[in-house]
Amino acid sequence: MKKVAPPQCLQNAFEENGLTQIEVFEFPEGTHTAADAAKAIGCDVSDIGKSLVFVTETLNPILIIMNGADQVDLTKASNLLGLPIRKAEAAEVRETTGYVIGGVPPFGHAKPVETLIDKKLLEKDTVWLAAGTPKTVFTLSTRDLRDVTGIETGVDISA
């Protein structure tokens, strides 16, 4: 593990939100999946917040920040949004967020994206999140995650 600089878009988001003390860490073994990240960091997989991109039938992107131990229930998420959703393809993820799958942070994206956060994740005090690449992560309090995203209440969208 070594400390590295985040991508500029994410660094800008840190600065815009007063998160100037955030440290980004790179793990050579990779943090592509929640399980990979938990193993590399040495934490429980539920301490990982995975940022997953979905697309509605009208092609609007939706970011779901999910507890790393759980899966998104597409039916619950679709019902909540009032539209069917599907997992975004790699090119859609890159176009919307500016990042590749496995490295999508919860904010600091190329384009605005509607965001939902799983309520189980917000029950944690702090979580580990992707920092722009499939090898980098940072830790953040869920209070700061709420503040940056503007989402105070999580939703029940786990399978």
Side-chain angles (χ1 to χ4, degrees):
M1 164 182 75
K2 69 177 178 177
K3 185 177 169 186
V4 296
Q8 192 60 52
C9 198
L10 184 56
Q11 181 62 43
N12 293 345
F14 288 156
E15 291 171 5
E16 289 167 9
N17 289 285
L19 301 172
T20 56
Q21 300 303 314
I22 296 290
E23 294 181 319
V24 173
F25 297 98
E26 180 181 65
F27 290 85
E29 58 272 27
T31 56
H32 185 80
T33 68
D36 292 342
K39 183 177 177 184
I41 295 163
C43 67
D44 189 83
V45 71
S46 69
D47 294 329
I48 304 297
K50 52 187 177 183
S51 297
L52 307 169
V53 181
F54 294 84
V55 179
T56 67
E57 66 180 358
T58 57
L59 301 181
N60 292 324
I62 305 294
L63 178 74
I64 298 179
I65 306 170
M66 194 71 190
N67 176 320
D70 295 325
Q71 300 297 316
V72 173
D73 182 317
L74 290 178
T75 301
K76 285 182 182 179
S78 293
N79 289 340
L80 184 66
L81 295 165
L83 289 170
I85 64 170
R86 63 168 171 80
K87 283 187 177 180
E89 295 174 11
E92 293 169 319
V93 172
R94 176 78 122 160
E95 180 184 334
T96 298
T97 67
Y99 305 98
V100 298
I101 293 173
V104 177
F107 50 82
H109 304 128
K111 297 179 180 178
V113 59
E114 182 177 352
T115 302
L116 301 173
I117 303 177
D118 180 62
K119 71 178 186 176
K120 285 184 187 177
L121 185 69
L122 291 180
E123 292 171 358
K124 301 279 185 177
D125 291 328
T126 60
V127 291
W128 287 91
L129 303 152
T133 77
K135 291 186 175 191
T136 56
V137 293
F138 66 100
T139 188
L140 189 68
S141 74
T142 51
R143 167 59 29 219
D144 285 339
L145 181 60
R146 284 182 172 106
D147 290 347
V148 173
T149 62
I151 297 171
E152 278 300 314
T153 305
V155 292
D156 177 14
I157 49 177
S158 62

